Amino acid sequence: MIWWAAAGGMVGTLARYGLGMWAGKRFGIAFPWGTWIINISGSFLLGWLYGEFTQHNLSLALWMLLGTGFCGGYTTFSTFGYESLQLMERKEYRCMAVYVLSSVVVGAAATAVGFGVS
């Protein structure tokens, strides 16, 4: 099973990198849109996958590949923390508050919605 998680993690990391670069070019870097989009979409996907797994519609191998591996490599809490710190260091407190609060609230809601549609 570990190889399924590793393979999914590799693909998830590449997807995160590509989407992050695209978002930075598309929306700029004043607000960390790339990480925000990645974490929200990853939260939705993980909620949906978890719902499918708990309903026995997804095998353990696919859960390891997609849930543990892909979503684990795709989403990024460490970058979220780093970017929050950068906003604070630049004294962009309002932007940081919006980023932190919206990431947590919208991320949790996206997970719930993903689980709900499974």
Side-chain angles (χ1 to χ4, degrees), residues 59-72:
S59 69
L60 178 59
L62 277 176
W63 170 251
M64 293 298 290
L65 176 74
L66 300 172
T68 302
F70 181 84
C71 288

Side-chain angles (χ1 to χ4, degrees), residues 5-6 15 18 26 29-30 32 41 47 58 67 82 84 89 96 98-100 107 113:
R26 175 81 167 100
I29 59 170
S41 62
L58 196 66
Y82 168 72
S84 298
E89 286 177 338
M96 184 192 79
V98 168
Y99 180 51
V100 170
V113 170

Side-chain angles (χ1 to χ4, degrees), residues 2 19-20 26 28-29 31 33-35 39-40 43 47 50 52 56 64 68 79 93 95 98-99 103 106-107 114 116:
I2 194 168
L19 183 55
R26 175 81 167 100
I29 59 170
F31 184 87
W33 285 109
T35 303
N39 285 340
I40 301 307
S43 294
Y50 181 68
E52 292 297 310
H56 307 288
M64 293 298 290
T68 302
T79 302
Y93 301 118
C95 187
V98 168
Y99 180 51
S103 292
V106 177

Side-chain angles (χ1 to χ4, degrees), residues 1-16 45 49 61-75:
M1 288 295 147
I2 194 168
W3 295 110
W4 288 114
M10 181 183 67
V11 174
T13 300
L14 294 171
R16 175 183 51 174
L45 178 60
L49 290 168
L62 277 176
W63 170 251
M64 293 298 290
L65 176 74
L66 300 172
T68 302
F70 181 84
C71 288
Y74 178 67
T75 59

Side-chain angles (χ1 to χ4, degrees), residues 14-28:
L14 294 171
R16 175 183 51 174
Y17 177 78
L19 183 55
M21 294 299 289
W22 173 84
K25 290 177 185 172
R26 175 81 167 100
F27 302 113

